[in-house]
Amino acid sequence: MDTLRDKVAVITGAASGIGRAIAGALAARGAHIVAVDLNNDGIQALAGPLSDQGATVLPQRADVSDPQAFEGIRSAALQRFGRVDIVVNNVGVLTNGLPQDIPVAEWQRILDINLMSVVRSNAVFLPLLLDQGSGHLVNTASFAGLFTYSYDRLPYAATKAAIVQISEGLAIYLRPRNIGVTLLCPGPVLTNIAAAVPTFGGGAPLRVPGEQFELLEPAPVGELVADAILRNRFFVPTHIGVVEELRRRVEDWDSYIDYQISRKPE
């Protein structure tokens, strides 16, 4: 895309954090926003500020774990705007516990929200973008999906690693068809994802990616995504230092595991 003006962007998890920042960055460049979230107050509150930037905001309260949710989102977007150009799959939830303590049912919940929401989104929106012959997908993964620094949130990390693989496969398939794919991999970013995290078996100590990765505000992340869409960039980490971390891991994986074992939890 050489412009975002009058493009229509569907953004899940738009009520707060990174999703809200992406909505703001795209709206500032002229895009119209279909703001999707379970938090109705949060997406309704987007309308005023983004309208001041000239954007039209269509709030859509939806539970992305509902198998029918994305059909409703697509119908509402097409009825209001007549098209969809950008789909941002940004929903993510956490859980906490030692590996033996997290029940299978909790694994299923995390998989259904974090991973299957992307699968359902693709099932609904990919045919639309392919028929148009244009568009862009943004999938939010995490540093936890790129390298392993913790064992306290294995379901979350597993879903984010799967999103990395899905995104790369889609990029190979869709780039020749004039559809871009961006993989957003946030490190520490100030969001409310940890506001309501279920804990199992007394919980597990929190382990973070590393003290070299500073905590960022969401707004610069939104700017990174808008720029990536315009430049058709695939890999967008919030902290460029993660590239060296990945190199270190792949060069000697056993030693890297020993290094992670030696690190103290926060």
Side-chain angles (χ1 to χ4, degrees):
M1 292 183 187
D2 56 4
T3 181
L4 296 180
R5 182 153 303 280
D6 291 326
K7 303 298 184 185
V8 178
V10 174
I11 304 173
T12 66
S16 63
I18 290 173
R20 189 182 184 94
I22 293 171
L26 299 189
R29 290 161 174 80
H32 304 298
I33 308 299
V34 181
V36 181
D37 206 290
L38 198 58
N39 179 354
N40 189 59
D41 290 342
I43 52 176
Q44 294 292 340
L46 272 176
L50 298 194
S51 295
D52 292 343
Q53 300 178 31
T56 300
V57 180
L58 177 63
Q60 288 289 292
R61 185 185 184 279
D63 178 355
V64 296
S65 66
D66 179 351
Q68 307 304 317
F70 285 98
E71 282 86 349
I73 295 164
R74 177 188 58 193
S75 296
L78 293 178
Q79 183 176 5
R80 178 63 181 84
F81 299 108
R83 62 184 294 114
V84 171
D85 301 288
I86 300 164
V87 180
V88 181
N89 297 304
N90 179 65
V91 171
V93 293
L94 278 168
T95 195
N96 174 265
L98 295 173
Q100 70 271 23
D101 292 331
I102 298 176
V104 171
E106 180 64 1
W107 271 89
Q108 186 63 59
R109 185 183 77 89
I110 300 295
L111 287 165
D112 205 37
I113 296 172
N114 291 6
L115 177 58
M116 293 308 297
S117 67
V118 177
V119 174
R120 295 186 186 102
S121 175
N122 287 338
V124 168
F125 287 110
L126 270 186
L128 186 65
L129 300 184
L130 287 166
D131 285 346
Q132 289 175 182
S134 65
H136 202 101
L137 298 178
V138 179
N139 293 329
T140 301
S142 167
F143 277 15
L146 292 175
F147 67 99
T148 307
Y149 54 85
S150 71
Y151 49 78
D152 58 275
R153 69 202 77 167
L154 285 184
Y156 174 83
T159 58
K160 294 304 184 178
I163 288 170
V164 171
Q165 288 297 313
I166 289 170
S167 300
E168 189 168 3
L170 286 172
I172 293 168
Y173 174 61
L174 294 174
R175 270 192 185 179
R177 292 163 175 80
N178 199 40
I179 298 169
V181 178
T182 291
L183 173 67
L184 173 64
C185 287
V189 177
L190 187 60
T191 72
N192 65 356
I193 191 172
V197 178
T199 298
F200 296 91
L206 178 66
R207 298 173 65 90
V208 298
E211 60 184 15
Q212 70 271 35
F213 300 117
E214 64 176 319
L215 182 65
L216 301 179
E217 293 289 336
V221 182
E223 295 297 319
L224 286 173
V225 171
D227 182 70
I229 294 171
L230 288 169
R231 296 174 181 269
N232 197 24
R233 287 184 56 213
F234 175 71
F235 180 47
V236 179
T238 55
H239 303 66
I240 195 62
V242 75
V243 174
E244 182 56 37
E245 196 77 15
L246 296 175
R247 185 178 293 115
R248 178 181 178 186
R249 178 197 193 208
V250 76
E251 284 176 350
D252 190 338
W253 211 332
D254 281 288
S255 293
Y256 191 78
I257 290 172
D258 289 338
Y259 156 71
Q260 290 293 356
I261 291 170
S262 71
R263 292 177 59 233
K264 299 295 184 183
E266 293 296 305

